[in-house]
Amino acid sequence: MTAPAHQPPQIARANGIDICYETFGDPAAPPLLLIMGLGGQMIIWYDEFCEQLASRGFRVIRFDNRDVGQSSKLHGGRRLTPFELLKLRFFNIPVAAPYKLLDMAKDTVGLMDALDIKSAHLVGASMGGMIAQETAISFPHRVRSLTSIMSTTGNPRLPPPTREVAMMLMAPPPKTKDEYIRRFLRTWKVLRAGSFPEDEARDVALAERCFARGTSPAGVGRQLRAILASGSRKPRLHSVTAPTLVIHGKRDPLVHHSAGTDTAESIPNAKLLMIDQMGHAIPTPTWPEIIHAIADHAHGANVQAAQDQRQRG
């Protein structure tokens, strides 16, 4: 099937801030929102990935979260310190944050309002999965289906990131374009947890695109604070009514694969797809399986919703 053409990036006013978004596919098709993770711009959802999803019968919408890319940059919050992390981990002393994941869920719903979308399929990766979970908890009528990829419930009992990944997260931000590109390449090589030559070959071009669109180290820090300040969603996830698919890589060095199991066990009737050669990324060789799983899950939710509507009618 031919992938539909996509519309260029636009700005929408949502939840009091500007959100940069881009659409792929038929505007009349069921909407499917892609929510990226910590510090990730919307273009980390590769154009071809979006096009392939759109070709499966969806209006695919990707967007920059607040504080990254070309969406609004906020203010406040200082660089997270190891001492704050220790206080959180061992004494459960909350991390202060200018905003929380609920505010980012409200951004998602605000974008849907701006685009006149009553409800949508939500697909979130890492922090994006947390935002999608929060949206499904707090705004259940806006979520047709939920797909949570390489994410977590926020359960503090789950294993922490590997030491190598934790050190990367806490490293000072790069100061120059060259440093940014080197850090980008190193980060994704570690997160993929394997050799993926096709993805590695286009990392430089993707890093250059991200740098040109704008970087915000302080914004990434605020996003990280939002995650840590929001606590565990595990008890509240029992209330989720949206059909849910959980996808996780068995080699994930950032969010241990047990977090995928924990997420699926916390949401009623959730389905779990574990992928052997996947780390904390969606490398090209995994696309066929992941795109098929997302599309099949969302279409199944559409069918079920239509049947429920007929029964009520």
Side-chain angles (χ1 to χ4, degrees):
M1 186 180 297
T2 302
H6 75 268
Q7 299 297 314
Q10 300 178 64
I11 299 293
R13 193 69 180 170
N15 192 29
I17 64 173
D18 290 335
I19 296 289
C20 181
Y21 72 96
E22 193 170 2
T23 65
F24 299 75
D26 182 356
L32 186 152
L33 271 64
L34 298 176
I35 312 174
M36 187 37 69
L38 176 68
Q41 299 186 25
M42 68 178 180
I43 59 175
I44 303 295
W45 297 108
Y46 288 115
D47 294 1
E48 301 93 331
F49 185 91
C50 297
E51 289 164 356
Q52 289 181 36
L53 264 178
S55 73
R56 297 293 298 265
F58 299 98
R59 178 191 183 191
V60 175
I61 302 159
R62 65 182 182 184
F63 63 96
D64 288 325
N65 287 311
R66 59 168 63 195
D67 264 330
V68 298
Q70 297 182 348
S71 289
S72 289
K73 308 301 186 296
L74 281 76
H75 305 283
R78 55 189 174 83
R79 183 170 174 75
L80 192 70
T81 66
F83 184 56
E84 288 179 282
L85 292 176
L86 288 173
K87 289 195 297 182
L88 174 65
R89 182 165 182 82
F90 293 106
F91 302 104
N92 199 30
I93 298 175
V95 169
Y99 55 82
K100 296 184 178 182
L101 293 175
L102 177 58
D103 298 292
M104 302 181 82
K106 290 178 180 178
D107 295 346
T108 303
V109 172
L111 177 60
M112 293 167 61
D113 289 341
L115 300 180
D116 197 27
I117 295 172
K118 292 183 178 179
S119 63
H121 302 285
L122 300 188
V123 178
S126 195
M127 181 188 72
M130 305 174 202
I131 295 168
Q133 292 172 23
E134 185 62 57
T135 308
I137 293 167
S138 301
F139 306 97
H141 60 292
R142 306 302 296 269
V143 183
R144 299 189 189 190
S145 73
L146 167 64
T147 300
S148 180
I149 305 176
M150 54 193 181
S151 193
T152 177
T153 64
N155 180 357
R157 297 188 177 184
L158 293 168
T162 65
R163 180 177 176 82
E164 183 178 23
V165 170
M167 291 179 65
M168 282 195 327
L169 285 177
M170 297 304 294
K175 296 180 180 179
T176 67
K177 179 179 178 180
D178 287 344
E179 287 182 12
Y180 177 86
I181 292 174
R182 286 196 297 270
R183 177 78 60 84
F184 188 99
L185 269 58
R186 173 62 180 163
T187 297
W188 284 105
K189 186 172 183 61
V190 170
L191 291 179
R192 290 187 187 113
S195 178
F196 297 93
E198 185 176 351
D199 296 86
E200 292 165 15
R202 55 186 178 184
D203 276 349
V204 171
L206 182 59
E208 289 179 338
R209 277 184 77 188
C210 288
F211 189 85
R213 297 183 79 245
T215 63
S216 177
V220 177
R222 285 188 288 270
Q223 288 186 351
L224 180 56
R225 284 184 174 277
I227 293 171
L228 298 174
S230 295
S232 175
R233 289 167 301 286
K234 186 175 176 64
R236 296 187 299 132
L237 283 169
H238 295 302
S239 70
V240 170
T241 56
T244 299
L245 169 65
V246 178
I247 301 175
H248 216 106
K250 292 184 178 179
R251 301 174 63 179
D252 195 325
L254 177 58
V255 183
H256 192 270
H257 63 79
S258 60
T261 303
D262 184 58
T263 302
E265 290 176 348
S266 300
I267 300 174
N269 303 311
K271 298 178 289 185
L272 176 62
L273 173 61
M274 299 293 287
I275 299 181
D276 290 337
Q277 298 305 311
M278 178 177 163
H280 197 78
I282 307 176
T284 307
T286 67
W287 286 11
E289 183 176 13
I290 289 176
I291 288 172
H292 173 77
I294 293 171
D296 189 59
H297 175 64
H299 282 308
N302 286 336
V303 170
Q304 184 61 54
Q307 291 175 346
D308 292 344
Q309 182 64 38
R310 284 196 297 271
Q311 290 176 357
R312 288 193 297 268

